Amino acid sequence: SRSSQGKTQVVSLLGEAGVGKSRLLAEFLRRLAAKGLLEQMTFYQTSCSALGNEAYHVLSGFFRTCFALSLEDDAAQARKKIETVLQTLEVQADPIVSVVESLLGFAKAELNLSHLDPEQLKRQLFWAIKEICQSQCRQRPVLLVVEDFQWADAASVELLHALVDRV
């Protein structure tokens, strides 16, 4: 596959409900794990809901996994985790920390990005995800799985399309 040669690979798995898409994905992940390949990758998995998702839902899931954030983390714990990962990735931390904290609700009211218009916020988020993904891709393959993407919010869809085009 192209991804084993260091090239970007995008796969869409489409089909009617109940046809076995989740089972096929589970088998694919099982085979990667059995060959020892899954542990050599940076792996992200999130899903979308038919009940609706907040803006940038897919990106929120990516950031929560990337920085190993849990619902129990307070703002200080979240900041430490985010800064530690960014330092490991050798990525410029300050602008990314701010946008991630704001998106995930860890930013203090006076420090959040609500002053940005939607277009500025989108540019900041895109820059953050692009920087993180490019850095991770230089270290090892990245596998991002988004289940039930047909239910994704428009902002996540736009951002992922742009990311695939650039990375």
Side-chain angles (χ1 to χ4, degrees):
S1 89
R2 291 173 43 95
S3 60
S4 64
Q5 299 167 1
K7 301 192 188 311
T8 302
Q9 179 71 47
V10 177
V11 177
S12 294
L13 185 55
L14 306 170
E16 296 295 321
V19 78
K21 298 179 300 291
S22 294
R23 183 170 175 229
L24 186 60
L25 173 62
E27 181 62 21
F28 172 69
L29 295 174
R30 188 194 67 71
R31 286 186 183 195
L32 286 177
K35 292 179 180 179
L37 297 174
L38 193 57
E39 64 192 31
Q40 297 174 23
M41 297 178 175
T42 300
F43 176 57
Y44 299 103
Q45 186 170 14
T46 190
S47 63
C48 301
S49 170
L51 301 176
N53 300 289
E54 71 276 4
Y56 300 109
H57 171 77
V58 172
L59 189 56
S60 295
F62 170 86
F63 283 145
R64 287 193 181 281
T65 302
C66 178
F67 301 118
L69 299 172
S70 70
L71 296 175
E72 293 78 34
D73 288 332
D74 63 24
Q77 291 167 319
R79 176 172 279 260
K80 177 111 176 93
K81 287 180 176 183
I82 294 167
E83 288 174 340
T84 300
V85 170
L86 293 175
Q87 185 177 23
T88 302
L89 293 174
E90 299 177 359
V91 173
Q92 185 182 0
D94 290 341
I96 294 177
V97 171
S98 298
V99 75
V100 171
E101 285 179 325
S102 183
L103 180 68
L104 299 179
F106 289 113
K108 295 178 182 169
E110 67 272 12
L111 298 176
N112 71 24
L113 301 178
S114 61
H115 65 282
L116 294 178
D117 68 49
E119 200 57 39
Q120 288 174 314
L121 177 60
K122 181 171 62 174
R123 281 194 302 273
Q124 291 274 343
L125 288 168
F126 176 74
W127 180 81
I129 190 91
K130 180 180 70 71
E131 288 294 306
I132 291 168
C133 282
Q134 285 179 332
S135 178
Q136 288 179 326
C137 287
R138 282 191 291 271
Q139 295 175 4
R140 59 197 295 183
V142 175
L143 175 60
L144 172 61
V145 174
V146 182
E147 292 191 73
D148 296 322
F149 191 61
Q150 72 273 18
W151 304 116
D153 61 282
S156 289
V157 172
E158 182 180 359
L159 192 121
L160 287 175
H161 280 289
L163 181 65
V164 167
D165 288 344
R166 299 261 170 85
V167 175

Short mmCIF file of all heavy atoms in Angstrom, two decimals, residues 3 7-9 38 40-44 62 89 132-145 163 167:
data_model
loop_
_atom_site.label_atom_id
_atom_site.label_comp_id
_atom_site.label_asym_id
_atom_site.label_seq_id
_atom_site.Cartn_x
_atom_site.Cartn_y
_atom_site.Cartn_z
N SER A 3 0.71 3.79 1.93
CA SER A 3 1.08 4.25 3.27
C SER A 3 2.35 3.56 3.77
O SER A 3 3.14 4.18 4.48
CB SER A 3 -0.07 4.05 4.25
OG SER A 3 -0.43 2.69 4.33
N LYS A 7 3.65 7.35 1.81
CA LYS A 7 2.75 8.24 1.08
C LYS A 7 1.38 8.27 1.76
O LYS A 7 0.96 7.30 2.38
CB LYS A 7 2.61 7.79 -0.36
CG LYS A 7 3.94 7.75 -1.10
CD LYS A 7 3.70 7.59 -2.56
CE LYS A 7 4.91 7.36 -3.38
NZ LYS A 7 6.04 8.06 -3.33
N THR A 8 0.70 9.40 1.60
CA THR A 8 -0.64 9.54 2.18
C THR A 8 -1.59 8.58 1.50
O THR A 8 -1.58 8.42 0.28
CB THR A 8 -1.14 10.99 1.99
OG1 THR A 8 -0.22 11.87 2.62
CG2 THR A 8 -2.52 11.16 2.59
N GLN A 9 -2.41 7.94 2.30
CA GLN A 9 -3.40 7.00 1.78
C GLN A 9 -4.73 7.31 2.46
O GLN A 9 -4.81 7.36 3.68
CB GLN A 9 -2.99 5.55 2.11
CG GLN A 9 -3.97 4.51 1.63
CD GLN A 9 -3.96 4.36 0.11
OE1 GLN A 9 -2.90 4.27 -0.49
NE2 GLN A 9 -5.12 4.36 -0.49
N LEU A 38 0.36 -2.18 13.98
CA LEU A 38 -0.46 -1.19 14.67
C LEU A 38 0.33 -0.49 15.76
O LEU A 38 0.22 0.72 15.94
CB LEU A 38 -1.73 -1.84 15.24
CG LEU A 38 -2.82 -0.89 15.71
CD1 LEU A 38 -3.27 0.05 14.60
CD2 LEU A 38 -4.01 -1.67 16.24
N GLN A 40 3.35 0.20 15.65
CA GLN A 40 4.34 1.07 15.02
C GLN A 40 3.71 2.34 14.45
O GLN A 40 4.39 3.16 13.85
CB GLN A 40 5.05 0.32 13.89
CG GLN A 40 5.84 -0.87 14.36
CD GLN A 40 6.41 -1.67 13.19
OE1 GLN A 40 6.58 -1.15 12.09
NE2 GLN A 40 6.68 -2.93 13.42
N MET A 41 2.40 2.49 14.66
CA MET A 41 1.66 3.63 14.13
C MET A 41 1.16 4.51 15.26
O MET A 41 1.02 4.06 16.40
CB MET A 41 0.44 3.17 13.35
CG MET A 41 0.71 2.35 12.15
SD MET A 41 -0.85 1.86 11.39
CE MET A 41 -0.24 1.05 9.94
N THR A 42 0.87 5.74 14.92
CA THR A 42 0.10 6.60 15.80
C THR A 42 -1.34 6.43 15.36
O THR A 42 -1.67 6.68 14.20
CB THR A 42 0.54 8.07 15.67
OG1 THR A 42 1.93 8.15 16.01
CG2 THR A 42 -0.26 8.96 16.59
N PHE A 43 -2.18 5.95 16.26
CA PHE A 43 -3.54 5.53 15.90
C PHE A 43 -4.57 6.40 16.61
O PHE A 43 -4.52 6.57 17.83
CB PHE A 43 -3.73 4.06 16.28
CG PHE A 43 -5.12 3.53 16.05
CD1 PHE A 43 -5.71 3.61 14.81
CD2 PHE A 43 -5.83 2.95 17.09
CE1 PHE A 43 -7.00 3.11 14.60
CE2 PHE A 43 -7.10 2.45 16.90
CZ PHE A 43 -7.69 2.53 15.64
N TYR A 44 -5.49 6.95 15.82
CA TYR A 44 -6.60 7.74 16.35
C TYR A 44 -7.90 7.15 15.82
O TYR A 44 -7.98 6.81 14.65
CB TYR A 44 -6.52 9.20 15.87
CG TYR A 44 -5.27 9.91 16.31
CD1 TYR A 44 -4.23 10.12 15.43
CD2 TYR A 44 -5.15 10.38 17.61
CE1 TYR A 44 -3.08 10.78 15.83
CE2 TYR A 44 -4.00 11.04 18.02
CZ TYR A 44 -2.98 11.23 17.12
OH TYR A 44 -1.85 11.87 17.53
N PHE A 62 -9.63 13.86 18.03
CA PHE A 62 -8.22 13.73 17.68
C PHE A 62 -7.34 14.34 18.76
O PHE A 62 -6.40 13.72 19.24
CB PHE A 62 -7.97 14.42 16.32
CG PHE A 62 -6.51 14.55 15.97
CD1 PHE A 62 -5.84 13.53 15.33
CD2 PHE A 62 -5.81 15.71 16.28
CE1 PHE A 62 -4.50 13.65 15.00
CE2 PHE A 62 -4.47 15.85 15.95
CZ PHE A 62 -3.81 14.81 15.31
N LEU A 89 7.01 16.37 20.05
CA LEU A 89 6.86 16.47 18.60
C LEU A 89 7.70 17.59 18.00
O LEU A 89 7.77 17.72 16.77
CB LEU A 89 5.39 16.72 18.24
CG LEU A 89 4.43 15.59 18.53
CD1 LEU A 89 2.99 16.03 18.27
CD2 LEU A 89 4.77 14.35 17.72
N ILE A 132 0.76 19.26 13.85
CA ILE A 132 0.84 18.03 14.64
C ILE A 132 0.96 16.81 13.72
O ILE A 132 1.83 15.96 13.92
CB ILE A 132 -0.36 17.91 15.59
CG1 ILE A 132 -0.27 18.98 16.67
CG2 ILE A 132 -0.44 16.51 16.21
CD1 ILE A 132 -1.54 19.15 17.49
N CYS A 133 0.08 16.72 12.73
CA CYS A 133 0.10 15.56 11.83
C CYS A 133 1.40 15.46 11.05
O CYS A 133 1.95 14.37 10.92
CB CYS A 133 -1.09 15.60 10.88
SG CYS A 133 -2.62 15.09 11.64
N GLN A 134 1.88 16.57 10.53
CA GLN A 134 3.13 16.52 9.77
C GLN A 134 4.28 16.07 10.66
O GLN A 134 5.12 15.28 10.23
CB GLN A 134 3.42 17.88 9.14
CG GLN A 134 2.55 18.16 7.95
CD GLN A 134 2.81 19.52 7.32
OE1 GLN A 134 3.24 20.45 7.98
NE2 GLN A 134 2.53 19.61 6.04
N SER A 135 4.32 16.56 11.88
CA SER A 135 5.38 16.15 12.79
C SER A 135 5.27 14.66 13.12
O SER A 135 6.27 13.94 13.11
CB SER A 135 5.32 16.98 14.08
OG SER A 135 6.31 16.56 14.98
N GLN A 136 4.06 14.20 13.40
CA GLN A 136 3.88 12.79 13.70
C GLN A 136 4.21 11.91 12.49
O GLN A 136 4.81 10.85 12.65
CB GLN A 136 2.45 12.52 14.18
CG GLN A 136 2.19 13.05 15.57
CD GLN A 136 0.77 12.81 16.03
OE1 GLN A 136 -0.17 12.83 15.25
NE2 GLN A 136 0.62 12.59 17.32
N CYS A 137 3.82 12.34 11.32
CA CYS A 137 4.09 11.57 10.10
C CYS A 137 5.59 11.44 9.82
O CYS A 137 6.02 10.47 9.21
CB CYS A 137 3.38 12.17 8.90
SG CYS A 137 1.60 11.90 8.89
N ARG A 138 6.36 12.43 10.25
CA ARG A 138 7.82 12.34 10.07
C ARG A 138 8.40 11.26 10.99
O ARG A 138 9.45 10.70 10.71
CB ARG A 138 8.48 13.68 10.35
CG ARG A 138 8.34 14.68 9.22
CD ARG A 138 9.22 15.90 9.42
NE ARG A 138 8.79 16.74 10.51
CZ ARG A 138 7.92 17.74 10.41
NH1 ARG A 138 7.37 18.00 9.24
NH2 ARG A 138 7.59 18.48 11.45
N GLN A 139 7.71 10.98 12.10
CA GLN A 139 8.22 10.01 13.07
C GLN A 139 7.72 8.59 12.79
O GLN A 139 8.46 7.64 12.96
CB GLN A 139 7.81 10.42 14.49
CG GLN A 139 8.45 11.73 14.92
CD GLN A 139 7.95 12.20 16.28
OE1 GLN A 139 7.18 11.52 16.95
NE2 GLN A 139 8.41 13.36 16.69
N ARG A 140 6.46 8.47 12.37
CA ARG A 140 5.86 7.15 12.13
C ARG A 140 4.54 7.34 11.40
O ARG A 140 3.99 8.42 11.39
CB ARG A 140 5.68 6.41 13.45
CG ARG A 140 4.79 7.15 14.43
CD ARG A 140 4.90 6.67 15.84
NE ARG A 140 4.44 5.30 15.98
CZ ARG A 140 4.37 4.67 17.13
NH1 ARG A 140 4.76 5.25 18.24
NH2 ARG A 140 3.94 3.44 17.19
N PRO A 141 4.02 6.27 10.80
CA PRO A 141 2.73 6.40 10.11
C PRO A 141 1.61 6.78 11.09
O PRO A 141 1.64 6.40 12.26
CB PRO A 141 2.48 4.99 9.56
CG PRO A 141 3.81 4.34 9.51
CD PRO A 141 4.59 4.94 10.66
N VAL A 142 0.65 7.54 10.58
CA VAL A 142 -0.51 7.96 11.37
C VAL A 142 -1.75 7.35 10.74
O VAL A 142 -1.96 7.45 9.53
CB VAL A 142 -0.64 9.50 11.41
CG1 VAL A 142 -1.91 9.92 12.13
CG2 VAL A 142 0.58 10.13 12.07
N LEU A 143 -2.56 6.70 11.57
CA LEU A 143 -3.81 6.11 11.12
C LEU A 143 -4.94 6.81 11.85
O LEU A 143 -5.01 6.78 13.08
CB LEU A 143 -3.83 4.61 11.42
CG LEU A 143 -5.12 3.85 11.11
CD1 LEU A 143 -5.47 3.95 9.62
CD2 LEU A 143 -4.99 2.39 11.54
N LEU A 144 -5.81 7.47 11.08
CA LEU A 144 -6.96 8.17 11.63
C LEU A 144 -8.21 7.49 11.11
O LEU A 144 -8.43 7.44 9.89
CB LEU A 144 -6.95 9.65 11.23
CG LEU A 144 -8.18 10.48 11.58
CD1 LEU A 144 -8.42 10.52 13.08
CD2 LEU A 144 -8.06 11.89 11.03
N VAL A 145 -9.03 6.96 12.01
CA VAL A 145 -10.26 6.30 11.65
C VAL A 145 -11.42 7.14 12.18
O VAL A 145 -11.47 7.45 13.37
CB VAL A 145 -10.33 4.87 12.25
CG1 VAL A 145 -11.70 4.24 11.99
CG2 VAL A 145 -9.21 4.01 11.70
N LEU A 163 -6.97 18.90 5.26
CA LEU A 163 -5.82 18.20 5.82
C LEU A 163 -5.30 17.14 4.85
O LEU A 163 -4.10 17.04 4.60
CB LEU A 163 -6.19 17.57 7.16
CG LEU A 163 -5.06 16.82 7.87
CD1 LEU A 163 -3.97 17.80 8.28
CD2 LEU A 163 -5.61 16.08 9.09
N VAL A 167 -1.51 17.28 3.65
CA VAL A 167 -0.58 16.35 4.29
C VAL A 167 -0.33 15.18 3.36
O VAL A 167 0.76 14.77 3.12
CB VAL A 167 -1.10 15.85 5.65
CG1 VAL A 167 -0.19 14.80 6.25
CG2 VAL A 167 -1.27 17.01 6.61
#
